[in-house]
Amino acid sequence: MKKTIITRREGLAGAGTAVAAIALGGHDISAGTPAGHFDQSNIQWYTLAGFDHVWYHILKVDPDAKIVDLLLKFAANERIVLHRHHADYSTFIIQGELRIYSADGAIQEIRPTGSFVEKPAGGAPHTEGGGDTDCIAWFSNRGTDGMIYEILGPNDETVATLGLPEFKALLEAQEAPVQAFVPD
């Protein structure tokens, strides 16, 4: 029996016709329809003493890969402590907007819902906070087994640090997360 081989373009064109027929059908909801606020009902938020206006939920700590993934929730129209990032990181904004402020309080950047940003370790000290609504962001910190965040005082002095060991301990102290259900 002879096999028919089609190119990726031909296969996608054929699949595209079927998908377009389904997509153009009588569906009321599309990918462009705003989804509203992120449903947080299955997320347990935690706080750290001295860290006002921010809540966390750690998703994963992988010491071997040097990765810490967490959700951060920033209070609307508030700012968190002055800090510096010591790990490469990515953010994805799930809800609201994340506002980044320089140490002197000037707004540096606004990351809206759906934005994805990657930044290298280092950079100037800054504060962050939610926009007009609480902001929920996924942060992925990578590439260091040392300090991830350096918390700074009013004279730029180090008042605390958070690294892999601290995030691992915080993760272990969290309640068991909601797990996916796989039907039989």
Side-chain angles (χ1 to χ4, degrees), residues 87-115:
D88 295 343
Y89 69 96
S90 302
T91 63
F92 178 76
I93 308 305
I94 298 167
Q95 175 185 292
E97 65 183 24
L98 181 62
R99 296 177 181 174
I100 315 295
Y101 302 88
S102 63
D104 67 5
I107 193 139
Q108 289 183 302
E109 184 179 354
I110 297 174
R111 299 178 187 169
T113 299
S115 63

Side-chain angles (χ1 to χ4, degrees), residues 46-48 50-56 70 72-85 98-103 105 125-131 134-135 137 139 149-153 159 162:
Y46 299 90
T47 60
L48 287 173
F51 290 77
D52 296 332
H53 315 301
V54 65
W55 300 265
Y56 71 88
L70 68 154
L72 291 173
K73 180 178 175 180
F74 299 89
N77 297 310
E78 298 287 353
R79 297 180 195 177
I80 66 168
V81 296
L82 186 66
H83 65 281
R84 182 180 290 126
H85 296 253
L98 181 62
R99 296 177 181 174
I100 315 295
Y101 302 88
S102 63
H126 62 279
T127 64
E128 303 171 62
D134 290 349
C135 173
F139 274 73
Y149 297 115
E150 177 184 16
I151 311 307
L152 302 169
V159 296
L162 294 168

Side-chain angles (χ1 to χ4, degrees), residues 3-182:
K3 280 188 170 179
T4 302
I5 299 174
I6 61 173
T7 66
R8 178 174 164 81
R9 175 174 284 164
E10 292 166 335
L12 290 175
T17 302
V19 169
I22 294 167
L24 295 174
H27 301 290
D28 294 329
I29 298 175
S30 71
T33 302
H37 286 287
F38 177 65
D39 179 3
Q40 307 168 50
S41 60
N42 288 327
I43 298 173
Q44 174 68 45
W45 294 106
Y46 299 90
T47 60
L48 287 173
F51 290 77
D52 296 332
H53 315 301
V54 65
W55 300 265
Y56 71 88
H57 182 89
I58 300 172
L59 300 169
K60 182 175 182 175
V61 176
D62 185 337
D64 294 331
K66 301 178 182 175
I67 296 172
V68 173
D69 289 331
L70 68 154
L71 296 175
L72 291 173
K73 180 178 175 180
F74 299 89
N77 297 310
E78 298 287 353
R79 297 180 195 177
I80 66 168
V81 296
L82 186 66
H83 65 281
R84 182 180 290 126
H85 296 253
H86 285 271
D88 295 343
Y89 69 96
S90 302
T91 63
F92 178 76
I93 308 305
I94 298 167
Q95 175 185 292
E97 65 183 24
L98 181 62
R99 296 177 181 174
I100 315 295
Y101 302 88
S102 63
D104 67 5
I107 193 139
Q108 289 183 302
E109 184 179 354
I110 297 174
R111 299 178 187 169
T113 299
S115 63
F116 177 77
V117 174
E118 294 179 292
K119 297 279 185 173
H126 62 279
T127 64
E128 303 171 62
D132 291 332
T133 61
D134 290 349
C135 173
I136 299 174
W138 167 74
F139 274 73
S140 184
N141 301 280
R142 298 169 178 271
T144 183
D145 56 3
M147 184 184 344
I148 294 174
Y149 297 115
E150 177 184 16
I151 311 307
L152 302 169
N155 299 311
D156 285 345
E157 73 277 13
T158 301
V159 296
T161 62
L162 294 168
L164 273 168
E166 290 80 15
F167 281 110
K168 188 171 188 301
L170 291 171
L171 175 62
E172 290 169 355
Q174 286 184 178
E175 292 180 22
V178 172
Q179 297 296 313
F181 172 74
V182 180

